[in-house]
Amino acid sequence: MTAAELTSGRDPETARRLYELMLTTGNGKAVAQAEKAGILEPVDDRGTAPRNRFRHATSLLGGEHADPERAVEMLNELAASGMTDAMMVLAKLYKDGEHVEADEEMYKSYIRRAAELGDRRAKTIVDRWGRRNARRSRKRSKR
């Protein structure tokens, strides 16, 4: 289901929220659709608002005006400034090897940093890693 189909017939505020949810999960095509439908204002990478820069960066990952190299550059800048959403998108890119070379250490680094800054999604992942490591340690000690 496309973003347009998902938001069709909904009130503008609900549609805007759904698009923003899609954006934070890395659905860059949603940006172009939202701008076309007039739900979100068009943004560019010169904007100073970090959220606008993030939306623009994720939109550059796919779609008609894709520029993945620029998107990764912008996401790195946002991550360096402490934006955990950018860290989570970069982590996914490094984990999947999408638009960057797959790198498990970079993936883990971004997840850990986002967790340190309070991102609940990242904390959940780090907690899961901790539980998994604890189980492995118990299994080894029983041998």
Side-chain angles (χ1 to χ4, degrees), residues 4 14 26 41 45 75 87 101 103 116 128 132 141:
T14 301
E41 292 180 25
D45 64 349
L75 289 166
M87 292 174 200
E101 187 173 327
D103 187 328
E116 289 169 5
R128 192 177 324 130
R132 187 178 306 139
S141 65

Side-chain angles (χ1 to χ4, degrees), residues 36-55:
K36 193 181 245 182
I39 294 168
L40 294 177
E41 292 180 25
V43 296
D44 64 28
D45 64 349
R46 295 181 304 273
T48 55
R51 182 58 46 194
N52 284 349
R53 290 180 54 77
F54 176 74
R55 279 197 298 238

Side-chain angles (χ1 to χ4, degrees), residues 61-81:
L61 290 172
E64 185 178 330
H65 303 288
D67 186 351
E69 187 175 305
R70 178 67 182 131
V72 170
E73 181 182 316
M74 290 173 68
L75 289 166
N76 276 309
E77 291 168 5
L78 291 164
S81 74

Side-chain angles (χ1 to χ4, degrees), residues 15-17 19-20 23 30-43 55:
R16 185 188 62 75
R17 287 184 183 153
Y19 275 109
E20 287 182 354
L23 295 174
V31 176
Q33 292 173 352
E35 289 173 357
K36 193 181 245 182
I39 294 168
L40 294 177
E41 292 180 25
V43 296
R55 279 197 298 238

Side-chain angles (χ1 to χ4, degrees), residues 13-143:
E13 182 59 23
T14 301
R16 185 188 62 75
R17 287 184 183 153
L18 286 168
Y19 275 109
E20 287 182 354
L21 176 63
M22 287 181 248
L23 295 174
T24 60
T25 59
N27 185 339
K29 292 178 184 175
V31 176
Q33 292 173 352
E35 289 173 357
K36 193 181 245 182
I39 294 168
L40 294 177
E41 292 180 25
V43 296
D44 64 28
D45 64 349
R46 295 181 304 273
T48 55
R51 182 58 46 194
N52 284 349
R53 290 180 54 77
F54 176 74
R55 279 197 298 238
H56 184 61
T58 57
S59 74
L60 292 174
L61 290 172
E64 185 178 330
H65 303 288
D67 186 351
E69 187 175 305
R70 178 67 182 131
V72 170
E73 181 182 316
M74 290 173 68
L75 289 166
N76 276 309
E77 291 168 5
L78 291 164
S81 74
M83 179 182 274
T84 60
D85 285 338
M87 292 174 200
M88 295 301 289
V89 171
L90 284 165
K92 182 175 180 356
L93 295 178
Y94 278 106
K95 181 180 181 185
D96 297 343
E98 187 178 342
H99 308 301
V100 294
E101 187 173 327
D103 187 328
E104 185 76 14
E105 288 307 310
M106 288 295 288
Y107 161 69
K108 289 181 177 181
S109 173
Y110 278 117
I111 294 292
R112 285 187 186 108
R113 180 70 179 129
E116 289 169 5
L117 293 173
D119 187 277
R120 288 184 300 188
R121 298 163 298 175
K123 285 181 176 183
T124 299
I125 294 168
V126 170
D127 289 347
R128 192 177 324 130
W129 292 343
R131 288 191 304 272
R132 187 178 306 139
N133 289 338
R135 281 194 306 269
R136 288 179 182 160
S137 293
R138 284 193 301 269
K139 284 182 182 179
R140 281 189 217 130
S141 65
K142 289 180 182 180
R143 291 180 190 171

